């Protein structure tokens, strides 16, 4: 038993059942699963999921349509599906930020093991929490000055924001955005 858990236990049953917001937002050590294998459902700071094994040819708009079809319209505020500029196809994964930890947990549960893509594929979706960035503000900070937001990059390749299920304007950059470096093939060549 850790010192933190002993201190929480001394708070009494009422405090534990009420679960003060301050305790939840500052000390996340209690979110670990117990040795009995119980699954923790409350994740106060986790709102961004990473969806893996997205079928080849799936676009960002295909993904948002799929999210909407499965009850998530208005529950996400950021979607980014990194694209290979050369092949014009996705890398097979995407980041989705949900508007609450509860919505994120619901999305995690719905799409982990998902196979109903609406296209012929054997891909089985794997969902994990994003390790790099969590929350809308973190994604804005990460991408607003990124080369992927350069005017030369097609809109379909860019991260997008939503508000209430409607696409929103991504915040303007705070500095000049450099053009992305794209390896070009020699004209008529095989690439490489």
């Amino acid at each position: 038993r850790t010192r933190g858990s002993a201190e929480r236990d001394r708070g009494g049953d009422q405090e534990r059942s009420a679960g003060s917001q301050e305790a939840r937002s500052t000390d996340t050590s209690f979110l670990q699963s117990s040795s009995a294998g119980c699954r923790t459902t409350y994740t106060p700071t986790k709102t961004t999921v990473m969806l893996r094994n997205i079928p080849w040819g799936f676009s960002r708009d295909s993904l948002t349509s799929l999210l909407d079809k499965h009850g998530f319209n208005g529950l996400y505020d950021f979607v980014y599906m990194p694209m290979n500029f050369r092949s014009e196809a996705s890398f097979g994964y995407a980041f989705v930020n949900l508007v609450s930890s509860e919505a994120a947990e619901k999305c995690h549960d719905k799409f982990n093991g998902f196979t109903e893509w609406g296209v012929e594929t054997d891909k089985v979706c794997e969902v994990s929490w994003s390790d790099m960035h969590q929350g809308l503000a973190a994604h804005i900070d990460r991408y607003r000055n990124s080369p992927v937001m350069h005017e030369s990059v097609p809109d379909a390749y860019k991260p997008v924001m939503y508000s209430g299920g409607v696409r929103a304007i991504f915040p303007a950059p705070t500095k000049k955005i450099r053009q992305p470096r794209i390896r070009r093939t020699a004209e008529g060549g095989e690439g490489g």
Side-chain angles (χ1 to χ4, degrees), residues 123-135:
K123 297 273 188 175
V124 177
C125 188
E126 293 177 16
V127 182
S128 61
W129 298 110
S130 174
D131 291 332
M132 296 292 289
H133 306 288
Q134 279 291 329

Side-chain angles (χ1 to χ4, degrees), residues 30-101:
F30 68 96
L31 296 174
Q32 301 300 316
S33 295
S34 72
S35 59
C38 295
R39 183 172 162 217
T40 304
T41 58
Y42 184 73
T43 52
T45 59
K46 304 266 187 185
T47 57
T48 304
V49 294
M50 180 179 187
L51 305 174
R52 292 187 174 119
N53 291 332
I54 295 173
W56 189 88
F58 231 65
S59 68
R60 181 193 67 210
D61 291 342
S62 300
L63 179 61
T64 58
S65 293
L66 187 72
L67 289 166
D68 293 349
K69 178 182 173 185
H70 288 277
F72 292 92
N73 189 337
L75 296 180
Y76 57 90
D77 54 16
F78 175 88
V79 176
Y80 178 46
M81 180 180 288
M83 301 291 286
N84 182 328
F85 294 165
R86 209 163 160 205
S87 70
E88 300 180 358
S90 82
F91 288 108
Y93 65 94
F95 298 96
V96 178
N97 189 68
L98 289 296
V99 297
S100 69
S101 58

Side-chain angles (χ1 to χ4, degrees), residues 137-159:
H139 292 290
I140 291 170
D141 288 345
R142 166 65 181 93
Y143 293 107
R144 75 186 316 166
N145 295 313
S146 169
V148 76
M149 298 303 281
H150 189 270
E151 63 187 21
S152 67
V153 174
D155 180 70
Y157 295 9
K158 295 180 180 184

